[in-house]
Amino acid sequence: MSLLARKEEVEARVAAACKRSGRDENEIKIIAVTKYVSLETTKSVLDKGLLHIGENRWQDVKPKWEALHERGTWHFIGHLQTNKVKDIIGKFAYIHSLDRMSLARELDKQAAALGIEVNCFLQVNVSGEESKYGVAPEHFFDFAVEVSKLKHIHITGLMTMAPYEMAADATRPVFRGLRELRDRLNERKIFPHDITELSMGMSGDFEVAIEEGATWIRLGTVLVGKEG
């Protein structure tokens, strides 16, 4: 299947999920996850009008970013090591994986040095899987309070990942749990602005994520395809 055909199929599935759940399609933003494909394929993705690009390792994305960064909006979606912050700060419009205070402090420090504010999603391990990164739900509000004290971090939303091996519909409680955490966060007014965004849903479960409130979905194979 061609990239254009995959894009059209994904858009149709997004529209159907929105119709089922009474949502507006314009609320859903698609991140094309290009971490497994070449610079040439990433260029093709941008050529097709998919302008949000997701990557998770600076050493892999560096040649793509250097060649193409002015053409799209770049999202860092993988686990971020504190010592790699200096490589990515100022290059990615959004960081989806803020999950601990050591990382928050380093992001704040590096952003302050550049005189910028960095848009971040708080990553929550809603499923409780040991293999997943993210703050535990029971520690989430304390974490949010500490992050709210940092002047150069702007919290855009929350992010989670459902278990890969789980059937799509079985992921529903994970996505619903993240939405409920966001709503409780807004009730507590920990941040001076409402948190509206939910980054959740990947190739195998994005329709369920949309039905449960996702605003950003991160799609690799189902949209971009696979090489090698």
Side-chain angles (χ1 to χ4, degrees):
M1 189 184 287
S2 70
L3 175 57
L4 181 59
R6 286 193 299 269
K7 176 176 180 279
E8 290 173 345
E9 182 177 285
V10 162
E11 287 170 345
R13 290 171 66 184
V14 167
C18 286
K19 188 173 182 181
R20 285 194 299 272
S21 51
R23 297 191 62 198
D24 181 345
E25 288 175 56
N26 294 319
E27 295 176 7
I28 314 302
K29 297 169 284 286
I30 297 172
I31 299 169
V33 178
T34 55
K35 62 183 180 179
Y36 295 125
V37 299
S38 65
L39 189 156
E40 291 73 23
T41 299
T42 305
K43 181 178 181 298
S44 296
V45 167
L46 290 162
D47 290 343
K48 293 294 184 293
L50 293 160
L51 301 181
H52 290 280
I53 302 296
E55 289 275 349
N56 71 342
R57 285 162 59 92
W58 172 244
Q59 54 266 49
D60 296 334
V61 69
K62 186 173 185 284
K64 300 177 198 177
W65 186 89
E66 288 174 346
L68 302 168
H69 70 272
E70 293 180 352
R71 294 192 51 196
T73 300
W74 295 71
H75 299 249
F76 193 91
I77 61 173
H79 179 66
L80 180 55
Q81 295 175 316
T82 305
N83 64 358
K84 300 292 185 185
V85 168
K86 63 185 183 300
D87 295 326
I88 68 146
I89 194 80
K91 299 181 178 76
F92 290 80
Y94 298 92
I95 294 169
H96 288 243
S97 47
L98 176 51
D99 63 353
R100 60 201 188 279
M101 278 312 299
S102 59
L103 177 59
R105 284 189 284 267
E106 185 63 20
L107 283 165
D108 187 64
K109 173 184 160 188
Q110 297 284 350
L114 292 174
I116 63 171
E117 193 175 62
V118 58
N119 296 310
C120 294
F121 288 76
L122 300 177
Q123 182 174 356
V124 188
N125 185 0
V126 178
S127 69
E129 281 187 287
E130 288 187 13
S131 61
K132 290 279 193 296
Y133 293 105
V135 63
E138 60 267 29
H139 302 309
F140 171 70
F141 293 107
D142 289 341
F143 178 55
V145 167
E146 290 305 305
V147 171
S148 74
K149 299 172 184 175
L150 301 175
K151 292 182 168 55
H152 296 273
I153 291 179
H154 180 267
I155 297 304
T156 300
L158 309 185
M159 186 273 254
T160 200
M161 298 168 67
Y164 294 122
E165 65 281 357
M166 196 177 271
D169 204 59
T171 62
R172 196 174 296 278
V174 175
F175 299 137
R176 185 177 297 150
L178 192 72
R179 187 188 75 228
E180 290 171 350
L181 275 176
R182 180 201 61 188
D183 294 346
R184 288 164 57 199
L185 181 67
N186 286 331
E187 286 170 5
R188 295 189 185 201
K189 300 193 181 302
I190 290 171
F191 294 98
H193 56 280
D194 273 353
I195 306 300
T196 57
E197 305 299 316
L198 293 174
S199 172
M200 59 188 195
M202 300 192 295
S203 289
D205 53 28
F206 70 91
E207 289 148 304
V208 176
I210 289 170
E211 291 169 5
E212 291 299 331
T215 61
W216 292 93
I217 54 175
R218 311 181 302 271
L219 304 183
T221 309
V222 73
L223 176 62
V224 177
K226 209 169 181 179
E227 296 173 356

